[in-house]
């Protein structure tokens, strides 16, 4: 009895059968992809128009009220972020330090990952320093330098600590801050300032006695010359 011949399959028939069986699912998936693509394109267009409108409003803003309105309407745009910092600086110039810090904190809360957050923290620390809250200012400068160690703001935060350490009569801490700037941020603009401060600190330490050490005795003053003899009286 002859062996049965193997049945050959036409790939075109298999594809046709697959399409006929799953055509509804395939069409639905295509429609979803097209809708997502259209939605993404519409969002990008909306975002570009919104950013453009915010930038135009920022260019026309002149008063704190203008900046406040811009922040409220376009808080998530680049122009809205810039408006927050501009408004905070204007409040600082008016010596409204608490209001300035509140504006900066609101910006940080809304934009925690924004690239200008380190700048906002530095401004808040400066506000604390201006109101005499030196311990809080120093703590915030330290946090900023540590958290944003790879940011351009880190050497600035370190140098801001130097003046506070000097005011608290902590020259060793001030020297360490300067040395950190020189070792880790030697190419930054702050490196020149750190070098000047370090030289000044070293000369001050050299000329001042260590704690508990008496000053060297000064050279005795030269003895006063004896008084000249009075001329003889004429007879």
């Amino acid at each position: 009895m002859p062996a049965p011949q193997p049945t050959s399959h036409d790939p075109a028939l298999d594809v046709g059968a697959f399409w006929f069986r799953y055509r509804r699912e395939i069409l639905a998936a295509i429609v979803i992809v097209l809708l997502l693509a259209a939605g993404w394109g519409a969002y990008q267009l909306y975002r570009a128009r919104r950013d453009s409108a915010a930038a135009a409003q920022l260019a026309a803003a002149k008063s704190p009220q203008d900046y406040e309105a811009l922040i409220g309407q376009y808080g998530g745009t680049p122009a809205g972020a810039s408006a927050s910092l501009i408004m905070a600086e204007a409040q600082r110039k008016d010596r409204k330090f608490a209001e300035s810090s509140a504006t900066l904190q609101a910006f940080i809360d809304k934009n925690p990952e924004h690239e200008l957050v380190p700048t906002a923290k530095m401004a808040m620390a400066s506000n604390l320093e201006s109101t005499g809250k030196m311990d809080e200012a120093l703590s915030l400068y330290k946090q900023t330098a540590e958290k944003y160690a790879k940011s351009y703001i880190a050497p600035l935060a370190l140098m801001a600590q130097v003046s506070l350490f000097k005011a608290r009569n902590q020259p060793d801490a001030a020297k360490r801050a300067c040395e950190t700037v020189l070792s880790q941020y030697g190419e930054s603009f702050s490196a020149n300032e750190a070098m000047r401060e370090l030289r000044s600190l070293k000369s001050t330490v050299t000329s001042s006695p260590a704690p508990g050490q008496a000053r060297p005795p000064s050279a005795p003053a030269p003895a006063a010359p004896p008084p000249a003899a009075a001329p003889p009286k004429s007879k």
Side-chain angles (χ1 to χ4, degrees), residues 44-169:
Q44 291 297 322
L45 180 61
Y46 162 77
R47 184 176 178 179
R49 289 179 176 176
R50 189 168 183 264
D51 289 349
S52 178
Q57 189 168 331
L58 177 63
K62 296 180 179 179
S63 66
Q65 291 76 16
D66 294 336
Y67 293 121
E68 190 171 359
L70 174 58
I71 294 168
Q73 187 174 0
Y74 300 106
T77 64
S82 298
S84 296
L85 297 182
I86 293 172
M87 183 174 175
E89 180 60 23
Q91 291 170 327
R92 174 178 169 78
K93 288 182 178 179
D94 291 339
R95 303 190 66 79
K96 298 178 180 178
F97 300 112
E99 292 86 344
S100 175
S101 294
T103 299
L104 294 166
Q105 187 61 56
F107 162 72
I108 294 172
D109 293 341
K110 290 180 181 179
N111 309 274
E113 302 300 325
H114 199 281
E115 61 182 1
L116 292 177
V117 166
T119 303
K121 287 185 175 292
M122 280 288 292
M124 292 176 65
S126 180
N127 287 338
L128 291 169
E129 187 175 352
S130 298
T131 54
K133 299 178 180 179
M134 301 304 180
D135 290 342
E136 295 179 39
L138 183 59
S139 176
L140 188 51
Y141 282 135
K142 287 181 178 179
Q143 293 174 17
T144 304
E146 293 172 0
K147 185 173 182 178
Y148 305 100
K150 296 183 179 179
S151 168
Y152 69 94
I153 214 73
L156 299 176
L158 284 165
M159 292 310 302
Q161 299 174 45
V162 173
S163 60
L164 295 181
F165 284 134
K166 290 169 65 177
R168 297 171 62 165
N169 195 25

Side-chain angles (χ1 to χ4, degrees), residues 13-35:
L13 293 176
D14 291 341
V15 172
F18 180 83
W19 163 255
F20 182 78
R21 181 174 181 180
Y22 298 104
R23 64 186 183 282
R24 291 187 180 87
E25 290 81 355
I26 294 173
L27 289 173
I30 293 173
V31 170
I32 291 174
V33 170
L34 291 176
L35 288 175

